[in-house]
Amino acid sequence: EVQLVQSGAEVKKPGESLTISCQGSGFSFTNYWIGWVRQMPGKGLEWMGIIYPGDSDTTYSPSFRGQVTISADKSVSTAYLQWSNLRASDTAIYYCARPLRPSAFDAFDVWGRGTMVTVSS
Amino acid sequence: EIVLTQSPGTLSLSPGERATLSCRASQSVSSTSLAWYQQKPGQAPRLFIFATSRRATGIPDRFSGSGSGTDFTLTISRLEPEDFAVYYCQQYGSSPYTFGQGTKLEIK
């Protein structure tokens, strides 16, 4: 079964660092772009960026560049989303997603269940 | 950055009625690069339509997509109770691959 399994919910304080993960299975992880999408409470979907685990080529939305770091470890079929200095405004659900076709920027047909990140003092 | 504007924000209809959801882009979008997703509360989004008009696996044929250039439409021919949800369009032709703000389809 093709799936993306995301790490569990996190509760952090402002200023703390955090890394959440997204592990793929059932497909060739190195050959598909993996994207990250933010959904703030009660709000819509925001495209954050995307990484190609095969060579770690990464593209960020200008809105998120410098705010987060996207990385991947193809040896464990896992993509990561990292913050070094969390803010309350980072409180959201973060989804990882895989496009329809390998090696292509495409619609996302496989989604993780999401990781809820709560940042509160 | 391509901005996608969806309308209406909320659409109130009854089961059996026809729903028409609009997605307008600030710049031309390739017809191969426009998708629609459905999201229900507490769930991840689900791909419904890609490449403007192609249904994803398992999506019933009452759902159809159309459009070109800057104007795209998702049509649900006869609403079923399970269709009431939020729908998002997304363009994936030009980075950043932006989403619209969503249309909430609610039961009237």
Side-chain angles (χ1 to χ4, degrees):
Chain A
E1 178 189 7
V2 173
Q3 59 180 347
L4 295 171
V5 178
Q6 295 191 234
S7 52
E10 301 275 1
V11 179
K12 306 293 281 185
K13 290 181 166 47
E16 291 186 331
S17 62
L18 173 65
T19 300
I20 62 174
S21 66
C22 168
Q23 184 173 39
S25 62
F27 65 99
S28 178
F29 190 79
T30 55
N31 292 338
Y32 283 82
W33 291 88
I34 298 293
W36 287 95
V37 176
R38 182 175 80 174
Q39 188 166 40
M40 299 176 74
K43 302 299 184 182
L45 305 174
E46 300 174 89
W47 189 87
M48 300 176 70
I50 199 163
I51 188 165
Y52 191 73
D55 60 7
S56 291
D57 186 14
T58 307
T59 298
Y60 291 92
S61 165
S63 298
F64 291 93
R65 187 177 296 121
Q67 308 306 308
V68 296
T69 301
I70 295 171
S71 62
D73 183 344
K74 60 185 179 182
S75 69
V76 290
S77 300
T78 301
Y80 303 95
L81 182 62
Q82 180 181 4
W83 294 261
S84 60
N85 182 13
L86 284 162
R87 306 171 183 176
S89 58
D90 293 318
T91 295
I93 298 173
Y94 293 88
Y95 294 101
C96 63
R98 190 209 79 170
L100 273 164
R101 296 173 293 154
S103 304
F105 296 118
D106 212 338
F108 290 134
D109 73 323
V110 180
W111 291 72
R113 291 190 174 185
T115 295
M116 179 69 215
V117 174
T118 303
V119 184
S120 175
S121 55
Chain B
E1 172 173 327
I2 296 177
V3 176
L4 300 180
T5 302
Q6 294 186 238
S7 62
T10 301
L11 185 57
S12 300
L13 294 170
S14 300
E17 290 192 295
R18 180 184 185 91
T20 303
L21 287 65
S22 173
C23 175
R24 179 162 290 178
S26 60
Q27 306 170 38
S28 184
V29 172
S30 168
S31 61
T32 61
S33 302
L34 194 288
W36 292 90
Y37 301 84
Q38 178 195 72
Q39 188 179 32
K40 295 183 175 180
Q43 297 183 16
R46 179 185 178 189
L47 178 64
F48 265 51
I49 299 286
F50 65 97
T52 297
S53 60
R54 298 184 63 182
R55 283 186 297 277
T57 302
I59 304 306
D61 61 8
R62 64 179 180 274
F63 289 86
S64 62
S66 62
S68 64
T70 60
D71 290 300
F72 297 87
T73 301
L74 174 68
T75 301
I76 311 171
S77 59
R78 287 180 57 86
L79 285 165
E80 297 287 343
E82 62 267 27
D83 299 337
F84 292 91
V86 180
Y87 291 85
Y88 296 94
C89 58
Q90 183 204 15
Q91 65 81 21
Y92 47 95
S94 175
S95 179
Y97 303 125
T98 46
F99 290 92
Q101 84 280 16
T103 289
K104 182 180 181 180
L105 179 56
E106 65 175 24
I107 299 177
K108 187 174 181 180

